[in-house]
Amino acid sequence: MKTFNVTHADIVDFGNLLEADRNASQCKHYRDENLKFAAHREEGIIDLLNQLTYFPKDGEPGAELESSYHVGRYRRKQIYEPKPRIIMALEYRDRVVQWAYYQKLNPLFDRQYITHSYGCREGKGTVKARSQLQTWIRKANRSEKSWYVLKLDIAKYFYRIDHEILMKILSKHISDELILRDLYKLINCEDTAFGLPAGVQPELCKQEDWLYNRGMPIGNLTSQMFANIYLNELDQFCKHVLHIRYYIRYMDDIIILWPDKKELRQIQSEIEIFLNEQLHLELNNKTCIRPVWLPVTFVGAQITATRIRMRKSTRKRMFRRIKFIKHLFEAGHITFEKVNNTMQSYFGLIQHFTAGNLLRKIIDEFSFRIRNNS
């Protein structure tokens, strides 16, 4: 097991904190909290550095080390698209601290990941994930054997990550005790619970029923890193113990291709045991095995050997948004520039799909409305 050569001093280095501030404020320079921090940037970073530095308790030599840094309160926001979720947001100073850790640790952990893990990684992403899966599907369709697809769906993944197990995984790679203590503060927030009891939906869970020893706040930078670190344990098990060649993962979205249905059911069983016993996770009822010639739903697309189609629910959301934007334009509430920016973003999205008819339909409808208002 590889242990990283990184120390707490590397994290709280003034230069690293300054870079973290630049990254945390990227594309968000004009928010009030960013401007307030930027007005006294050097003082703010020095204050963070002092809070993150560990000193002997009560100033006595040889006493236990402690720091004064504590994670602030989260702002909660409930969203309903594409599905109900609770989004968490931290104060700006805490986001700077997260970036300071992310900059140093994420590149080290990223080297440990398998090639076909595509979520929240530089040079990866949804487009490459879909393309890679389509390449495998084409190979399987050309084979004389009947191939099958196992789609693994983990129940409420971000809400069910076990903090104790995550800390054990981190401690296998990080030897600096002070780093681990700071990571524990980021994972186990004293003021906010992130975990859901089994079988409970986030929008229906009462505030007092949320769990403090489970879950990652959706929306946090470090949550993306921790989520990848956690499921990397499954990746390594599937690749090096089960020896699965065609295995691809985007965060908690996992696809496996295998040429024998009976063996694939056994693989599913072994994965389920591993998830339950080693990671305290469960598969939900969306987990299924299907023939490879049927469309495979993966990262927002339905993929076959010849097509990558946008998922129906995504198309519906897009059309609802376009209709709303057109209504605002027709009423004179927004400018053509705003409409054009929105449409160009959708055109950029559509170009990654097999969607000729969809694109023509959008262009025809959009052009008709613009002509009527010109």
Side-chain angles (χ1 to χ4, degrees):
M1 188 63 63
K2 183 175 178 58
T3 302
F4 303 142
N5 184 26
V6 60
T7 66
H8 190 261
D10 296 328
I11 306 295
V12 301
D13 174 73
F14 183 87
N16 186 50
L17 288 171
L18 190 62
E19 184 181 357
D21 169 56
R22 286 195 294 267
N23 285 322
S25 64
Q26 193 171 23
C27 302
K28 303 171 185 176
H29 296 288
Y30 299 108
R31 292 185 179 180
D32 289 343
E33 57 181 343
N34 295 35
L35 291 171
K36 185 177 180 180
F37 191 90
H40 306 281
R41 178 175 285 110
E42 289 191 7
E43 294 91 332
I45 291 176
I46 291 172
D47 183 53
L48 269 181
L49 193 155
N50 290 332
Q51 290 183 39
L52 289 165
T53 301
Y54 282 81
F55 298 100
K57 189 175 183 180
D58 300 324
E60 298 179 5
E64 181 184 358
L65 297 177
E66 63 176 14
S67 74
S68 60
Y69 175 74
H70 295 283
V71 179
R73 287 187 174 274
Y74 281 83
R75 301 190 300 272
R76 296 166 62 96
K77 179 181 179 181
Q78 185 162 340
I79 63 171
Y80 298 92
E81 295 288 351
K83 58 184 178 181
R85 286 177 176 169
I86 304 295
I87 302 297
M88 305 280 192
L90 276 172
E91 296 176 1
Y92 182 77
R93 60 183 289 278
D94 293 305
R95 297 204 298 274
V96 172
V97 173
Q98 290 197 355
W99 266 105
Y101 270 96
Y102 185 85
Q103 291 165 177
K104 292 295 184 181
L105 296 182
N106 191 62
L108 300 175
F109 278 106
D110 191 84
R111 296 170 196 161
Q112 311 301 311
Y113 300 153
I114 64 172
T115 301
H116 298 301
S117 169
Y118 287 86
C120 300
R121 297 181 66 192
E122 188 175 351
K124 300 289 185 176
T126 58
V127 175
K128 290 190 175 181
R130 290 191 288 257
S131 177
Q132 182 60 65
L133 180 57
Q134 186 181 52
T135 298
W136 288 348
I137 290 173
R138 286 171 177 166
K139 287 183 179 180
N141 280 338
R142 290 196 297 265
S143 173
E144 295 179 358
K145 298 180 179 180
S146 296
W147 281 69
Y148 294 87
V149 173
L150 168 59
K151 178 176 173 57
L152 298 171
D153 205 304
I154 298 174
K156 295 291 180 289
Y157 174 54
F158 271 86
Y159 299 109
R160 300 297 298 162
I161 293 175
D162 188 293
H163 294 179
E164 183 179 353
I165 293 175
L166 176 58
M167 287 305 303
K168 286 181 180 179
I169 295 171
L170 292 171
S171 64
K172 291 190 295 185
H173 299 279
I174 299 170
S175 58
D176 192 306
E177 185 62 31
L178 300 184
I179 291 180
L180 292 173
R181 288 171 66 175
D182 277 355
L183 293 180
Y184 184 83
K185 291 179 182 179
L186 293 175
I187 293 167
N188 293 271
C189 182
E190 297 177 354
D191 299 317
T192 311
F194 311 121
L196 279 178
V200 179
Q201 299 295 324
E203 68 275 15
L204 300 177
C205 188
K206 297 179 181 178
Q207 187 67 46
E208 61 270 19
D209 293 334
W210 286 75
L211 306 175
Y212 281 88
N213 63 342
R214 280 180 175 265
M216 290 287 113
I218 296 176
N220 259 14
L221 175 70
T222 50
S223 294
Q224 300 173 9
M225 179 177 71
F226 292 145
N228 261 335
I229 291 169
Y230 203 77
L231 274 188
N232 182 56
E233 300 295 301
L234 175 63
D235 297 345
Q236 302 299 330
F237 174 74
C238 288
K239 297 298 288 186
H240 301 298
V241 178
L242 300 182
H243 304 290
I244 302 171
R245 181 179 181 183
Y246 297 126
Y247 171 99
I248 189 168
R249 179 173 69 82
Y250 187 94
M251 298 311 286
D252 60 332
D253 204 350
I254 302 167
I255 300 289
I256 295 171
L257 277 66
W258 197 264
D260 186 288
K261 189 173 185 179
K262 185 177 180 180
E263 291 179 3
L264 194 53
R265 290 193 184 280
Q266 180 60 33
I267 288 172
Q268 178 184 341
S269 178
E270 293 187 45
I271 288 175
E272 195 159 7
I273 292 171
F274 179 87
L275 287 172
N276 290 340
E277 294 182 353
Q278 301 300 320
L279 300 179
H280 293 177
L281 297 173
E282 298 176 350
L283 297 176
N284 65 23
N285 54 14
K286 294 181 182 178
T287 298
C288 61
I289 296 175
R290 305 178 71 189
V292 76
W293 51 266
L294 289 175
V296 180
T297 301
F298 184 58
V299 289
Q302 291 182 320
I303 304 172
T304 66
T306 57
R307 294 183 177 183
I308 300 178
R309 297 192 63 195
M310 187 182 295
R311 197 163 53 186
K312 187 176 181 179
S313 59
T314 306
R315 294 199 302 269
K316 286 184 176 180
R317 287 197 304 273
M318 183 174 65
F319 274 106
R320 282 200 301 268
R321 180 62 181 172
I322 290 174
K323 288 181 180 179
F324 177 69
I325 290 293
K326 287 192 296 186
H327 175 74
L328 292 179
F329 176 71
E330 291 165 356
H333 296 311
I334 59 174
T335 64
F336 173 75
E337 183 181 5
K338 172 65 176 177
V339 177
N340 187 56
N341 289 341
T342 301
M343 296 307 299
Q344 292 303 324
S345 67
Y346 282 127
F347 293 153
L349 171 67
I350 292 170
Q351 71 177 349
H352 298 296
F353 295 89
T354 310
N357 291 334
L358 175 63
L359 185 58
R360 283 192 293 273
K361 183 177 179 181
I362 291 175
I363 291 174
D364 290 345
E365 178 70 12
F366 179 63
S367 300
F368 173 76
R369 293 292 183 178
I370 294 302
R371 285 198 301 271
N372 281 357
N373 286 273
S374 60

